[in-house]
Amino acid sequence: MNSQSPGPGNRRPSTTVKFPLGAKSVRNSRERTTACRLPDQRELVAAFAGPGERETGRPLLTWANTLAELHRRRHTDPLATAGIDCRRAELVALIDRWIDTELTERRARRTRTDSLGATIDRMAAAHVHANHLLHSAECVSDDRVHAAWYRLALLADEWTDLVTGAEGVRRRT
């Protein structure tokens, strides 16, 4: 038998991994990283804007939308702030646990004190604030509107740096 033929001795063993939350099985760790990748900044901002249709197995986008909804409720119901903040803290912890469970390689690469869940929460707050200013300002060219969207852009860049594992990331607020 030729060494190139797909005989029994020339096959690689399958390393199929089962995923919870409806994600599909994949054959190797490189594909697993792709299948359970973190959302990019555009996907997060879209999740903050509204629920839309979510891919199965992408709970981060659902949780990001929930965080944005909680920030919107803080603006409309200031008396419920304590309960809302408690729920936000629970969601941030849930996001961090999910990331640690599903993306184990992230644990070793994260060198910052801020969690990814806390970063998503800050982005959600910034998006809600910027969107509120955009719809309530007399003039959309108002400096406050520009500053709010600029802050969201800085946080989105911070998210991208965290997801890609860029070194030397500083917190921009």
Side-chain angles (χ1 to χ4, degrees):
M1 199 191 294
N2 160 339
S3 65
Q4 299 295 331
S5 68
N10 292 332
R11 292 186 191 160
R12 291 185 182 182
S14 173
T15 56
T16 302
V17 180
K18 300 280 184 198
F19 287 97
L21 304 170
K24 56 186 174 183
S25 299
V26 293
R27 293 186 52 85
N28 65 36
S29 62
R30 182 174 293 152
E31 290 174 20
R32 179 180 184 201
T33 303
T34 303
C36 282
R37 72 175 177 77
L38 294 172
D40 64 22
Q41 58 179 279
R42 290 172 300 210
E43 292 170 312
L44 275 179
V45 170
F48 299 145
E53 291 187 24
R54 303 279 177 254
E55 292 178 39
T56 305
R58 302 288 306 272
L60 271 180
L61 297 177
T62 301
W63 296 328
N65 176 261
T66 303
L67 284 168
E69 286 297 322
L70 290 170
H71 282 286
R72 281 192 264 299
R73 277 188 45 212
R74 278 182 108 237
H75 285 283
T76 59
D77 189 7
L79 296 177
T81 299
I84 291 170
D85 288 348
C86 183
R87 179 66 182 131
R88 284 180 37 234
E90 291 171 353
L91 274 173
V92 167
L94 178 67
I95 289 169
D96 291 335
R97 271 194 315 273
W98 185 86
I99 288 171
D100 284 345
T101 302
E102 292 298 314
L103 302 167
T104 54
E105 71 276 2
R106 292 277 174 218
R107 236 182 287 157
R109 288 174 50 183
R110 195 170 70 214
T111 58
R112 292 177 26 138
T113 58
D114 293 341
S115 71
L116 294 173
T119 303
I120 293 173
D121 185 50
R122 282 197 319 274
M123 283 181 69
H127 181 272
V128 167
H129 179 68
N131 202 37
H132 172 74
L133 286 176
L134 181 66
H135 291 93
S136 64
E138 286 184 27
C139 181
V140 293
S141 61
D142 186 333
D143 287 340
R144 294 178 312 138
V145 175
H146 174 75
W149 286 101
Y150 181 74
R151 181 170 190 278
L152 177 60
L154 290 176
L155 289 169
D157 287 344
E158 180 180 336
W159 173 259
T160 299
D161 291 344
L162 286 170
V163 169
T164 60
E167 294 297 322
V169 178
R170 289 187 329 236
R171 182 175 176 181
R172 302 173 204 152
T173 55

